[in-house]
Amino acid sequence: MPWQNRLAPAPAAGLDGFHALPHPQAVVTLLTCCGCLRWAERLADHRPYPDPESLLAAGDEASYDLTSAEQVEALAQEAPAPLPPARPGPGTLAAHTALRAAHAAYELRFRHAFVICLDGYRPDEVMDQTLHAIRTRLAHEPDEERSVAAEELRRLARARLARLAAGCP
């Protein structure tokens, strides 16, 4: 079961609440940001962070240091990217069908869930961006896609850490 689907206790009050968590609880909380145990332990071990930016920088550094096996570990914990909500209008059913087929083709080709960070996109852009990205990435060679997936994992972890530091569950 993916780590982000497990119920991890949310920090009481942003970064201060995160710092106050016992080490095992901090690790479980961090695993909701990135499913690699060494990544989570590394960030938990280096607490306290003076500010949210320091936590984000530490998360980036730990993400860049993931080995191939750790990237596989983190990807295995990622749930498939959810289908964007259906928007009214013609073609929505066809777009959802195309997206489901693209997800299946991606997972068959690369043997892990398609991951993408869509922060900064408006809700009405999410489906088009996702479909474009997955179709583009299906053409990648495995080594190239590993690199792209690693960057998307880093971006996802950074966004999740930012929410954690802000006190959002």
Side-chain angles (χ1 to χ4, degrees):
M1 169 180 260
W3 290 107
Q4 68 270 22
N5 291 338
R6 296 184 184 173
L7 294 177
L15 198 54
D16 290 336
F18 171 64
H19 290 151
L21 292 174
H23 187 271
Q25 198 172 351
V27 170
V28 169
T29 299
L30 288 164
L31 284 169
T32 66
C33 298
C34 177
C36 173
L37 184 58
R38 187 176 71 90
W39 182 93
E41 288 177 340
R42 179 174 171 177
L43 268 64
D45 288 345
H46 289 94
R47 293 178 302 160
Y49 295 94
D51 51 47
E53 292 76 24
S54 298
L55 173 62
L56 296 177
D60 284 345
E61 183 179 334
S63 293
Y64 290 130
D65 289 345
L66 291 178
T67 65
S68 293
E70 290 166 340
Q71 183 181 344
V72 168
E73 175 189 357
L75 284 168
Q77 298 304 319
E78 288 293 325
L83 289 175
R87 52 181 198 227
T92 299
L93 180 58
H96 271 260
T97 301
L99 196 51
R100 278 193 298 277
H103 272 277
Y106 181 93
E107 289 182 16
L108 182 64
R109 176 162 164 73
F110 296 112
R111 305 286 187 228
H112 61 79
F114 175 73
V115 291
I116 186 170
C117 182
L118 293 165
D119 287 4
Y121 288 104
R122 294 186 324 259
D124 64 328
E125 298 174 314
V126 168
M127 186 178 303
D128 291 338
Q129 289 299 324
T130 303
L131 192 53
H132 173 73
I134 201 166
R135 285 180 172 164
T136 299
R137 289 169 56 186
L138 272 167
H140 289 170
E141 291 300 318
D143 287 343
E144 180 183 13
E145 181 53 26
R146 237 183 322 278
S147 176
V148 172
E151 176 59 15
E152 291 299 322
L153 276 173
R154 185 199 64 76
R155 292 179 63 218
L156 285 167
R158 183 178 181 83
R160 293 165 181 164
L161 279 174
R163 287 189 289 276
L164 175 86
C168 296

